[in-house]
Amino acid sequence: MKRPRNLRFRSVGIKLFVILFCTIVLLSSVLGLTSYYAAKGIITDQVAAASSQSIVQAADKLDFLFAEYEALSRQFAVDSILKADMETVNHPGAGTVAKAAAEDRIRRKLDSVKGSDERMLGIRLISRNLVESESYKSTGISAVRSDEGILARVKQIDEAKGDPVWFSVRAKGFFDVYAESSMTMGRLLRNIKHPEAEYYMLIEIKGQALTDILSNLHIGRAGEIRILDPSESIVYGADNKLLGEASYIHPETEPPKGQLHSFTSENEQGAPQLVVYQPLDTAKWTLMGYAPVSDFTKSADKLLYITLLVVLAAVVIALLIGYLLVRQIGRPLGKLARLMEEGEQGNLQVRTSFKGQDEIGRLGHSFNKMMEQISLLAGQSGSSAAQVLSTSEQLVNASSTTSTHAREVAAATEEIAHGAASLALEAESSNRNVEMMNLQIKDVKEINQAMDTSAEKVITVSDQGAELMKTLVAQSESTVRMMDLIQENSIRLRESTHLIRSILTPMVAVNKQTNILALNASIEAVRAGAAGRGFIVIADEIRGLANQSNQSIASVSRITEEISSHIENTVQVVGETAPLFREQIASVRESSIIFEDVRAEMEQFIGYLNESSASVTALTECQHLLGESMASVRAVVQQTSASTEEVASMSSQQFIVSEELVALSGKLETLAEELKQSLVSFHG
């Protein structure tokens, strides 16, 4: 009988050939590809290490540049002269000359700073209201604009509260009016005492400055350098059209300690890229460079050609070895398989003709002996088969009896099953009720906890209300004392006024008398001549009266100053009294709000109590249902017990039948022993 050709592919020889062929080719390919990819990995790692060092150095340069401008802005923030000038130009009472001089000093300072740095496009001090006339700038730059985008950037400076804020490179500058790109650092120059003198400081740096710093940084032949902000938008790039766009390549998070800031990723075209990056310490940006991996791994492509040659050589060798295996092993095994198939069809006269002493030759000799033993076994099995047949008839009769009893057992078992099913359903219902009880209990527990929390809040709010009321009382007492002080100052002022009047009256009279006496004394002294010496005494008295007049005038001056002091004290006390009244009003409002919170908490507390009552009611109903379910389970259990007794009686009858089956099994065991003895010669 000829074997179908399509079954030849299942032969041992073909399998050995395929296994050997695939093993050799696979090992050669794996070895070559492993070498290739290992070489690529080593080259990539070396390039990544070198590029990482370069990117770190470039990042240090950028940090130095940014730190330099942050230090410059810090100098402006602490410059006392500049702060005084800004306060002067914003002070309503300052003169025109003083304001002009201050503005000139501000502009000259800005021009000097801008002129000393070629990388700087301009420097500005912009007022908080973004008005051009109230702002200052270095020469050669445009005016201030206030569109929506500029207002959003200014808001970022406000939110920084005096810290420096770096803005990305823009193609037309911070105000979108320049012909070249620029990067801007903004900072709010704060003035706590004079908020009206606060200004936004903008330092605009040419985009070419970054290009000059990064010009010596090259990664591969077609690599690119970009700077990304925390949202991974492009802050700086070779193409200004990409500014503000989201980067397709995202830097990884901070790598583990000791690892390089590098990884591989794909660009927009799907080409693998070697990416190196370094976070900046100043601007919170990330300097990133990337280049195609193919720029570095072209030298490793030679390994692919070597691998192909090795694989071709391995294929030729595997074909030769496979042919020998098929000839020496596959063909003899195929012939033996065909002979065994003939024996399977009933031809026990087939024999092999293998003469070799190897495993295949020994297999042929064993096959011949096996066929002879099978021929002898076939004769002995005929007589044993007749005895087994008669025993089988007896076994059939016993089996029919067993089947009848088994049917009855099945019916009883079915009743038990129904009872068990009912029991399971009732048990499941009981479980659900118990679960509901557990849930309700949990609800009660949570509600009680909420009640406790609400009570604590009520106590806390009450304490706050009490403290605020104490504060309100203290403030009221202080207000009363202030009003008393105002009254006392008013009384002193009135007394001082009366005193002034009493002093002025004699002073006026003395002055008149002094004038008259002085005039008379002068006339008489002239007339009397030598005899007028007595009038000299009168003249001295007149001078004494004049001195008294001067002292009275001095007293009037001192009293006037005292009155002025009292008036100032009165004004000060009144000024201090007004804030106290405002604080009293605020305290009263807070007290009202707190007592409203107490009321809300108490209402919520009442709601929790209602929910707790409802949960307890539902819990009682669940317990009632659970009692009824347990009664049903008890009835089902009784029914199951009766069915179990019936099964027990039927099992006793089955035991008798089982003894008969045991006896028949003994006879079958004897026959099996005879058959076993018949097979001993075959196994031997």
Side-chain angles (χ1 to χ4, degrees), residues 338-351 367 371 374-375:
R338 287 193 296 272
L339 293 176
M340 292 185 71
E341 289 173 356
E342 291 182 8
E344 178 186 355
Q345 295 175 0
N347 184 9
L348 300 178
Q349 302 301 320
V350 294
R351 299 291 184 271
F367 175 77
M371 295 304 293
I374 290 174
S375 298

Side-chain angles (χ1 to χ4, degrees), residues 99-145:
K99 287 186 177 181
E103 289 178 348
D104 183 64
R105 284 193 297 271
I106 293 173
R107 291 191 180 93
R108 282 192 286 108
K109 184 175 182 62
L110 296 180
D111 289 337
S112 64
V113 172
K114 191 262 181 182
S116 63
D117 192 347
E118 296 180 352
R119 297 171 299 189
M120 191 182 298
L121 185 63
I123 182 170
R124 303 172 184 266
L125 292 177
I126 303 175
S127 64
R128 296 291 293 270
N129 54 12
L130 301 182
V131 176
E132 170 65 22
S133 60
E134 299 178 5
S135 303
Y136 305 97
K137 61 182 179 179
S138 57
T139 57
I141 57 177
S142 62
V144 174
R145 296 176 57 221

Side-chain angles (χ1 to χ4, degrees), residues 626-636:
L626 181 60
E628 294 179 353
S629 298
M630 293 305 295
S632 299
V633 170
R634 190 180 302 110
V636 173

Side-chain angles (χ1 to χ4, degrees), residues 20-193:
L20 183 63
F21 179 82
C22 293
T23 301
I24 294 175
V25 174
L26 184 62
L27 287 176
S28 302
S29 302
V30 169
L31 181 61
L33 293 176
T34 302
S35 302
Y36 170 69
Y37 286 111
K40 285 182 63 177
I42 293 172
I43 293 173
T44 303
D45 292 341
Q46 295 296 326
V47 173
S51 301
S52 296
Q53 294 298 325
S54 300
I55 209 79
V56 168
Q57 294 176 1
D60 291 340
K61 293 180 180 178
L62 291 177
D63 282 330
F64 180 78
L65 176 67
F66 294 160
E68 182 179 351
Y69 287 109
E70 288 183 0
L72 176 61
S73 67
R74 197 177 301 112
Q75 292 177 3
F76 271 75
V78 300
D79 190 342
S80 58
I81 298 176
L82 178 64
K83 184 179 293 187
D85 289 339
M86 290 189 294
E87 292 175 359
T88 300
V89 298
N90 287 277
H91 193 278
T96 304
V97 176
K99 287 186 177 181
E103 289 178 348
D104 183 64
R105 284 193 297 271
I106 293 173
R107 291 191 180 93
R108 282 192 286 108
K109 184 175 182 62
L110 296 180
D111 289 337
S112 64
V113 172
K114 191 262 181 182
S116 63
D117 192 347
E118 296 180 352
R119 297 171 299 189
M120 191 182 298
L121 185 63
I123 182 170
R124 303 172 184 266
L125 292 177
I126 303 175
S127 64
R128 296 291 293 270
N129 54 12
L130 301 182
V131 176
E132 170 65 22
S133 60
E134 299 178 5
S135 303
Y136 305 97
K137 61 182 179 179
S138 57
T139 57
I141 57 177
S142 62
V144 174
R145 296 176 57 221
S146 58
D147 55 27
E148 184 177 355
I150 295 173
L151 291 176
R153 292 192 285 274
V154 170
K155 184 179 179 181
Q156 295 182 31
I157 302 176
D158 264 329
E159 293 174 350
K161 299 185 181 301
D163 293 330
V165 179
W166 287 94
F167 296 96
S168 62
V169 176
R170 301 183 63 84
K172 295 184 179 180
F174 187 84
F175 293 99
D176 298 325
V177 294
Y178 296 129
E180 61 178 315
S181 61
S182 68
M183 176 180 62
T184 305
M185 190 212 74
R187 187 169 194 161
L188 176 62
L189 301 183
R190 306 188 67 180
N191 193 325
I192 298 175
K193 294 183 178 179

